[in-house]
Amino acid sequence: MPAAAPAPAPQADIGALIAEAVADAEATLEARLALSHQAALDAERQASDDAAKAFLESFGGDLGTAVATRIEAMEQRVAELAGATVARVLGGLLSDDLQQRSLQALSRTIGAAVADSEAVRIGVRGPLSLFEPLKAALGSRAANLDFTEAPGFDLTVTIDETVFETRIAEWSASLSEVLS
């Protein structure tokens, strides 16, 4: 008997082998692409988080600087307004006291200057509001006063060729300047 022919070797299904190789390659590629995509996504998220953090820190710093600058400006403005208000209040109060003292000193000076003669004419120039108290302080000598109303805070008294002034306006301006 003739020797039996060897059984033919099973033939490999080339199509199945190719399909299997392609499926393995696709799975490997998919896994590699998924890892690469996840790494890129993580890097983008980290970069976005870093940018957001940097923005917030920068924004917070800028906002803090702006707020601090505005608060300082407001504090300075409040101090200026308070100083001006105090200057006006004190100026008014001190000016009233200064007016009284100036008028008293002026009436004493006039009294001393005209003590020898009742016939001396006294020229007074200034606001009526200061003339009236001066007139009252001079008593009987007030009959010798020639009054001319003038704007301002000062009285100017002329006896013969001698001039006397209260200088209240100058003092008040200086006080306002110092207190402002």
Side-chain angles (χ1 to χ4, degrees):
M1 274 209 63
Q11 284 222 337
D13 185 6
I14 301 257
L17 287 175
I18 290 175
E20 187 179 318
V22 167
D24 285 346
E26 283 178 346
T28 302
L29 181 60
E30 184 181 342
R32 200 171 345 142
L33 286 175
L35 285 174
S36 175
H37 177 71
Q38 188 61 42
L41 188 58
D42 289 344
E44 283 297 317
R45 281 186 185 142
Q46 186 61 44
S48 177
D49 288 348
D50 291 346
K53 184 178 179 181
F55 170 75
L56 289 176
E57 287 174 356
S58 170
F59 180 73
D62 293 347
L63 181 63
T65 300
V67 168
T69 301
R70 287 298 298 152
I71 286 175
E72 287 175 14
M74 287 188 300
E75 286 175 346
Q76 184 174 355
R77 181 72 177 134
V78 166
E80 289 171 1
L81 289 173
T85 302
V86 167
R88 278 196 308 272
V89 169
L90 285 179
L93 294 174
L94 295 176
S95 292
D96 289 344
D97 182 54
L98 180 65
Q99 284 177 357
Q100 293 302 317
R101 288 188 293 155
S102 294
L103 290 174
Q104 289 170 0
L106 189 57
S107 66
R108 283 192 305 271
T109 303
I110 291 170
V114 295
D116 297 334
S117 172
E118 291 291 326
V120 173
R121 297 302 301 167
I122 303 167
V124 180
R125 179 174 166 83
L128 185 61
S129 63
L130 290 181
F131 174 69
E132 292 299 330
L134 177 65
K135 184 176 171 184
L138 286 175
S140 64
R141 290 191 184 108
N144 296 357
L145 299 178
D146 291 324
F147 176 69
T148 305
E149 189 164 5
F153 295 113
D154 292 315
L155 280 178
T156 302
V157 176
T158 306
I159 302 172
D160 292 331
E161 304 233 350
T162 307
V163 177
F164 302 94
E165 288 184 305
T166 57
R167 300 182 71 151
I168 296 170
E170 193 176 301
W171 180 88
S172 184
S174 296
L175 176 67
S176 293
E177 199 175 292
V178 167
L179 293 177
S180 293

